[in-house]
Amino acid sequence: MPLDLAEQSSREQLQTTFISCRKTSLALATRFPVEDWMLQSMPDASPIKWHLAHTSWFYEAFVLEKFKPDYTPFDPSFNFLFNSYYEQIGERHPRPARGMLSRPTAEQVVDYRAHIDRAVSALILDLPEAQFADLADLVQLGCVHEEQHQELLLTDIQHGLFQNPMRPAAFDRESLSGERGAETSETEVARSWRHFDGGLTEVGHKGAGFAFDNEGPHHKIYLAPFYLASHLSTIGDYADFIADGGYSTPTLWLSDGWARVQSENWCAPLYWRREEPGDNWTGFSLFGEAPLEKEAPVWGLSYYEAAAFAEWTGYRLPTEFEWEYASQCAPLTGQFLRGAGFSLPRAGEDVSSRDSGTIPADVHRRYTGLCGMFGSVWQWTASPYVAYPGFRTAAGAVGEYNGKFMSSQMVLRGGSSATPNGHIRRTYRNFFPPHARWQFAGLRLARDV
Amino acid sequence: MPLDLAEQSSREQLQTTFISCRKTSLALATRFPVEDWMLQSMPDASPIKWHLAHTSWFYEAFVLEKFKPDYTPFDPSFNFLFNSYYEQIGERHPRPARGMLSRPTAEQVVDYRAHIDRAVSALILDLPEAQFADLADLVQLGCVHEEQHQELLLTDIQHGLFQNPMRPAAFDRESLSGERGAETSETEVARSWRHFDGGLTEVGHKGAGFAFDNEGPHHKIYLAPFYLASHLSTIGDYADFIADGGYSTPTLWLSDGWARVQSENWCAPLYWRREEPGDNWTGFSLFGEAPLEKEAPVWGLSYYEAAAFAEWTGYRLPTEFEWEYASQCAPLTGQFLRGAGFSLPRAGEDVSSRDSGTIPADVHRRYTGLCGMFGSVWQWTASPYVAYPGFRTAAGAVGEYNGKFMSSQMVLRGGSSATPNGHIRRTYRNFFPPHARWQFAGLRLARDV
Amino acid sequence: MPLDLAEQSSREQLQTTFISCRKTSLALATRFPVEDWMLQSMPDASPIKWHLAHTSWFYEAFVLEKFKPDYTPFDPSFNFLFNSYYEQIGERHPRPARGMLSRPTAEQVVDYRAHIDRAVSALILDLPEAQFADLADLVQLGCVHEEQHQELLLTDIQHGLFQNPMRPAAFDRESLSGERGAETSETEVARSWRHFDGGLTEVGHKGAGFAFDNEGPHHKIYLAPFYLASHLSTIGDYADFIADGGYSTPTLWLSDGWARVQSENWCAPLYWRREEPGDNWTGFSLFGEAPLEKEAPVWGLSYYEAAAFAEWTGYRLPTEFEWEYASQCAPLTGQFLRGAGFSLPRAGEDVSSRDSGTIPADVHRRYTGLCGMFGSVWQWTASPYVAYPGFRTAAGAVGEYNGKFMSSQMVLRGGSSATPNGHIRRTYRNFFPPHARWQFAGLRLARDV
Amino acid sequence: MPLDLAEQSSREQLQTTFISCRKTSLALATRFPVEDWMLQSMPDASPIKWHLAHTSWFYEAFVLEKFKPDYTPFDPSFNFLFNSYYEQIGERHPRPARGMLSRPTAEQVVDYRAHIDRAVSALILDLPEAQFADLADLVQLGCVHEEQHQELLLTDIQHGLFQNPMRPAAFDRESLSGERGAETSETEVARSWRHFDGGLTEVGHKGAGFAFDNEGPHHKIYLAPFYLASHLSTIGDYADFIADGGYSTPTLWLSDGWARVQSENWCAPLYWRREEPGDNWTGFSLFGEAPLEKEAPVWGLSYYEAAAFAEWTGYRLPTEFEWEYASQCAPLTGQFLRGAGFSLPRAGEDVSSRDSGTIPADVHRRYTGLCGMFGSVWQWTASPYVAYPGFRTAAGAVGEYNGKFMSSQMVLRGGSSATPNGHIRRTYRNFFPPHARWQFAGLRLARDV
């Protein structure tokens, strides 16, 4: 019965995806000693151990409780400890105190993960057909959720290790430039402005593939013509901004940004240190502290810094819609942990197959030349993170995933080399508060016509 | 020589406008005893005395220093004391410490005002013709700037008096409902939804009249069809929201808003107090504490509260462009201090002459019925305060007026009864952070088609 | 009937004392414009207007309510607004928000004072004899309480005016050195160490005159022999400490003190400013900003600074008992507002009559030579402020006057030139937290034998 | 050569003491999983790993660097990471960020300890005789220092585990009452007051045994006669205080204490939880959460709570000198970790041999009956922690050990069951700020005659 075969195949495929994603998280975490798993260096960051447990709890709360009526939680206290922000699910351990959870131990969390792996796998393989489509949707959400935490795990532990005056390296230094640098093939393209016509156009997710609720509804907008920079702004560009007094010129900054510069004594990106004597910069990353390479894309910027830099250049940041519109001219290229010495399930995956194929040939011809749009560094846009017209949150706790954060945050686009490939998408909207500095976030300039 | 006459006339007109605006500020201030002039109840609010001095300094810094090369400042220390936020003009007294300025005394500030009045008047009447147009632009900016501070003076002293457990009334209670209530004529219109077609349209200031830089450039946008509520949401509506557990239902709130509800124990608008026993509400305003009238528009809301209320109704806030587009169907009606017992120069002025007259007759016919769009309460919109396409800040310190605040604030439209009539405009963009609760700010609902 | 005459006389005397004290407060306050009356520059300081009202409320709460059963409060809200810290009397307006009380106005507070003056005067003159002794005790407490606030009024407004970058002078500069300087006659005595034998001795108040509860019980202590400096440490001495790196040498400081130095960037006494270029110091006081005189006693020190300075000299601070024991060799000399251009009721009063006359002649002979013990600057001692053996707080709210503050404060002795003469006493214990810097507090060194 | 033998013997004895102390620390630590080693639950507490490393660093800084000129530090960064507060030794990692040190790992710290064990042992056995006495003094200081950290390790991890809503138990619950309870033999003595004559007497350390600098100089004091309670105040006593409204009666509290009650919502000791319904109390300790036993001594109190409780009883806390004077009538009894299931080197040691034998026979006869003076719970005294007359800090960094903390702290006496036996001494002065609640601190009442 071919139907069964197909079904079996789709169940097996889902289980493979699920297990692969789960393994990736653990593979990332086990690169770090257990002591690192405890670190919470600020309220916005979470310990590795918490990421591992929370991404497991997500399946318990949204999948197992729903599809397995007799499900007994692995540990009844975990619903309190590892709920992140789902008010409808109940009270939660306070976020800034996640680092206080020495128990459960790392070993217990690994056991928890194995338990969840088994329980969800069994469900995937055994659930009656009538419910499978619903299950598949939620498992898929669980996977993309876990992938988001994979990137956060890396940004958070990077921030945690940075608190240590010994500046420990998490990974071998073998390939720092490869990790964060622009793609070799792209650097050969000359830096220039790409012209886009704009006009009445459409943005937002449409169609069959997975997308978060905040990527839709697909809707019409009007765009004036604009130029977009062919390349990401570089560490060298940003060093020039600093050398020109960028951090001591209030007129370049948004008022809130300038207040931060002063109250927190910003004088360079968070992870930069000036080597004395001279004017050379060293940067901290998971590879430890190393001289910065001028040609590599700048990252580790807040929106305030990206906007002040743009002001200094005389240009500006693109809106998220300019970026999305222009992105049709760039191939989707996932670069998850490229150069980090990992052999992870989906590292280096070609995600271009996910492309919708709707790029008109002439558009493609005219605009070839946008470099580093995807999978290099997140690109701050000039767009506050708000709902698209017609957006409504989903019913139930899952509706809290994105919508309630639509306040005082800015949209980033494109993905970084720490972004799992499943998140490389033209319509994907990442968002962070304008002062957040610990992400792999840089920028690309735009200008009016 | 008719040209001279015309010139003389425009000079006299400018001087009249200038002096009238200056007198209004002082007339507002002298309603309060000198002790009130010292009050600074939070960093965001300023003392009356500071408002009076700062609005005078503005002419010194932007007009007198520019057009009168030999100008000697009234007091050299005032440039430090009364500069608000103009980085290009120099160091400033820290904002949260404005209440520490017992000196200059009230009398000295009044003298300062008279000095500025004389000096600017002389300039208006005597400046060589070649420079007059420039002068007129800056004097006009000085006037609208001072008018903005007139509203702030009232919102700030209201907040200051509210700190006093005696809840002192600033004005006679004769006409509280008149002050904040909907217009009599409008309440006879039934509450309903007004339909708007949307489509490709244009927004932003265009043409000859004065507008702030942030109201332009005029530009095209695309609007999906929508409905707008015919009336402002009322105190009664909001009391229902509270009675239904609005302040204890996290799913109604933006995440940042819910954090405020919890950390600051919000359980009603800032100025509301529940009368025990029973469920009646009392509200504080410049008229003291009095029972709230259910039919009057609700005001004193933060954006978080306005958005949670809208979520509770099942509808939403309009975007600023939906509001602006729809506003073409409502007459411009300034109501500055209506009912407050003032006889101020421009109270009750008919501002409809400022209307551009571009409303197509059929539009007007179809949409009559929007009540309280202008001069009742400021209406929170769903739009973050960002630059319009093509916006560039002006050169010089004057460029700091608006642009640098385009971060983490929300746009309000329409004006309140404390808004000077010169600020009643379809394209006018007021803006405050989403947690600000001390303004005359309410809302009007919208919904998708 | 001679008895009646005596009674009349003691009643009139009490009324004279009362009215004189009341007038002094108002005479101090009216030196400042009403705007100054509003200033509260930190939670520890109170506005002038509050001092004036609180010292009136004290009579209402402790005298009028008690002796006049039908007494109607001047304003029922004042019991809430002007209670300082008496828990037994009820809820209070929060201390840090005293500066928010623009109402009652200055004029209303002056009316309140006049009302209290009349009501207490009437009580003094008319109360039945049986109750008069009790009344007299409480009126006397009210007077010394008000005198304490007279000094606080001056220290607090000095701190308030210091927040103003214009550094306004409250009094004419005519006699700054006279105000704070050592007494002329004393400066002729050579600076030296005075030896004291110690042994089993007694300290604390005993006898008929007024003293606070915390000055007793009189009790035995054992003192090892010690030396006390003949003079107060001077501004010149302290400038040497600064020049020698006092504020950058952690080993000189108590751990808590060093934490303050770092967190609040202490690099000189609060009111000192270094004149650039060079190494001259300017000091702020109620006379405005003026060059510091090296020979004058240093004041405006915290205990931490006094202790670090003493450590730097190689000596130490005396204990409060060493100070009290040695003080028997110095004449009581009140110097209230000497040189401040005041003609106040009790300025310059000779208080030596209050001396108990118990100084043995030989002791007096041997030890003559202690200068500036009384009425120059408060002298920090090495003694924490704790109860004497056998101390019990009085019943009722009056018991909250002193006892509940016996934690984490240090004792100061001797009185400053802003200390009313009635507070110049050998057993008087002033107390402040070790970080308090805004008092007229300096030091005198001691050393072991 | 008998001298050599003696020397050898004293060297071996020192090495045995040293190694025994080192092993105890590790034995305590290894009771906890590595995750617990990372916990820093407040700035005042330190992670287990940090305690283990810091107590090793102490030997490096004060012993190895001094006696081994060619000594190479185990890791050059440790001097920065593990210096606690010795300013003379150099810059330090900030105290509140000790929990951020995921590296060095637990394993590396254990290696560090082994390295120090070997290096110090070698020095003890091999150092030329001329330097041995100096070495012995410093090694002894290193040992008592490490013992202090053994108690802190336990109080700190108890506080850390308390942050976990799962309330994990560190030790088996087998013997909680034994752990903290009064000694069986003593409970048979009836609770009563013991009378002490006082008079001119002497306090402070004198003689040959080790004592900290702050225990001297030995000096004369005068004590009035007093009574001391025969027993420690119990959990039952304290529960009565709570039931009687102790935490809602401001007049029982010091002003600073009452401010804490209100700002931190104190309503019971830190580790107590009321079992609903009813009025039974549960307490958290290293044995987890368990019902409190009314007869056991109360612990986990701040000074503020101890003082309020004493006020409620109508009695008072003893001064540290009353306590020390009376303690001559109680046998020295170390009870280190009695009942905790440990078999540690010196647990249960009889320390009475350390008694100076100077208790007059008649005194001993008269006063027998003081229970729980040593090794049960620390007893808050009414004495602020200040220097004894003639106290001078030692030269060099070692002088920072005690003296610089003599500000705003209160003295505790007697030792708890978590206090290593070497710290059970009549003259021993423990000290903590009055708000500190996480120590094993209770009280014993006193009263005037």
Side-chain angles (χ1 to χ4, degrees), chain A residues 277-299:
Chain A
D279 204 28
N280 295 317
W281 291 97
T282 294
F284 177 78
S285 74
L286 291 169
F287 300 93
E289 215 154 31
L292 287 167
E293 298 193 14
K294 294 200 167 185
E295 294 74 26
V298 61
W299 61 274

Side-chain angles (χ1 to χ4, degrees), chain D residues 307-437:
Chain D
F309 169 81
E311 181 74 16
W312 173 76
T313 64
Y315 304 115
R316 61 173 175 83
L317 299 176
T319 67
E320 65 169 320
F321 298 137
E322 288 173 335
W323 191 98
E324 182 172 332
Y325 175 78
S327 80
Q328 295 175 80
C329 313
L332 286 173
T333 48
Q335 308 180 33
F336 186 38
L337 298 173
R338 182 170 54 84
F342 276 90
S343 55
L344 290 170
R346 301 200 297 168
E349 181 189 9
D350 178 10
V351 296
S352 61
S353 62
R354 224 174 312 122
D355 226 341
S356 54
T358 55
I359 308 175
D362 60 328
V363 167
H364 197 278
R365 254 197 320 278
R366 278 173 66 199
Y367 295 141
T368 297
L370 283 181
C371 298
M373 286 291 275
F374 296 101
S376 181
V377 302
W378 286 104
Q379 293 147 66
W380 284 108
T381 73
S383 298
Y385 175 54
V386 289
Y388 286 173
F391 173 82
R392 299 303 286 174
T393 55
V398 128
E400 297 185 48
Y401 201 102
N402 280 310
K404 71 182 180 183
F405 300 108
M406 291 174 171
S407 171
S408 304
Q409 309 213 37
M410 301 302 288
V411 173
L412 303 100
R413 294 293 194 112
S416 78
S417 57
T419 306
N421 294 339
H423 297 249
I424 300 301
R425 202 152 56 232
R426 302 192 193 290
T427 58
Y428 195 92
R429 305 172 82 197
N430 195 0
F431 51 90
F432 276 94
H435 60 270
R437 308 176 89 196

Side-chain angles (χ1 to χ4, degrees), chain C residues 100-296:
Chain C
M100 290 300 106
L101 298 174
S102 59
R103 323 284 181 93
T105 62
E107 193 181 337
Q108 290 168 324
V109 166
V110 170
D111 287 349
Y112 180 39
R113 289 188 65 85
H115 168 89
I116 297 296
D117 290 352
R118 285 189 300 271
V120 173
S121 289
L123 212 54
I124 290 173
L125 298 178
D126 300 341
L127 196 72
E129 182 61 14
Q131 295 178 273
F132 181 70
D134 280 359
L135 172 70
D137 280 356
L138 284 166
V139 170
Q140 186 176 37
L141 183 65
C143 288
V144 295
H145 170 260
E146 182 148 359
E147 286 175 345
Q148 286 185 318
H149 279 274
Q150 288 165 6
E151 178 159 6
L152 290 173
L153 183 157
L154 292 169
T155 59
D156 291 359
I157 190 61
Q158 180 170 272
H159 191 265
L161 293 174
F162 183 61
Q163 309 310 306
N164 194 315
M166 296 166 75
R167 301 275 186 270
F171 302 153
D172 285 343
R173 189 183 294 274
E174 56 179 80
S175 51
L176 179 61
S177 63
E179 164 70 354
R180 304 257 171 263
E183 305 87 76
T184 321
S185 62
E186 292 189 349
T187 53
E188 292 163 12
V189 178
R191 291 175 64 166
S192 59
W193 291 105
R194 304 295 157 193
H195 178 273
F196 294 89
D197 291 335
L200 198 60
T201 182
E202 299 186 4
V203 290
H205 179 76
K206 184 174 65 177
F210 174 84
F212 284 111
D213 57 355
N214 64 12
E215 299 175 53
H218 187 80
H219 65 288
K220 278 190 194 158
I221 58 156
Y222 178 83
L223 280 184
F226 65 98
Y227 289 99
L228 197 65
S230 62
H231 288 73
L232 296 164
S233 292
T234 65
I235 284 171
D237 297 337
Y238 202 84
D240 290 345
F241 163 70
I242 299 176
D244 195 39
Y247 282 87
S248 52
T249 308
T251 50
L252 297 173
W253 295 77
L254 286 161
S255 180
D256 287 354
W258 183 244
R260 288 267 171 180
V261 168
Q262 293 185 296
S263 67
E264 302 181 5
N265 296 312
W266 289 3
C267 52
L270 175 60
Y271 292 119
W272 291 28
R273 289 290 170 266
R274 196 188 295 267
E275 293 245 296
E276 304 288 357
D279 204 31
N280 294 317
W281 291 96
T282 293
F284 177 78
S285 74
L286 291 169
F287 300 94
E289 216 155 30
L292 288 167
E293 298 194 13
K294 293 201 167 184
E295 293 73 26

Side-chain angles (χ1 to χ4, degrees), chain D residues 261-285:
Chain D
V261 168
Q262 294 186 295
S263 67
E264 302 181 4
N265 295 313
W266 289 2
C267 51
L270 175 60
Y271 292 120
W272 290 29
R273 289 291 170 264
R274 197 189 294 267
E275 292 245 297
E276 303 289 357
D279 204 31
N280 294 317
W281 291 97
T282 294
F284 178 78
S285 74

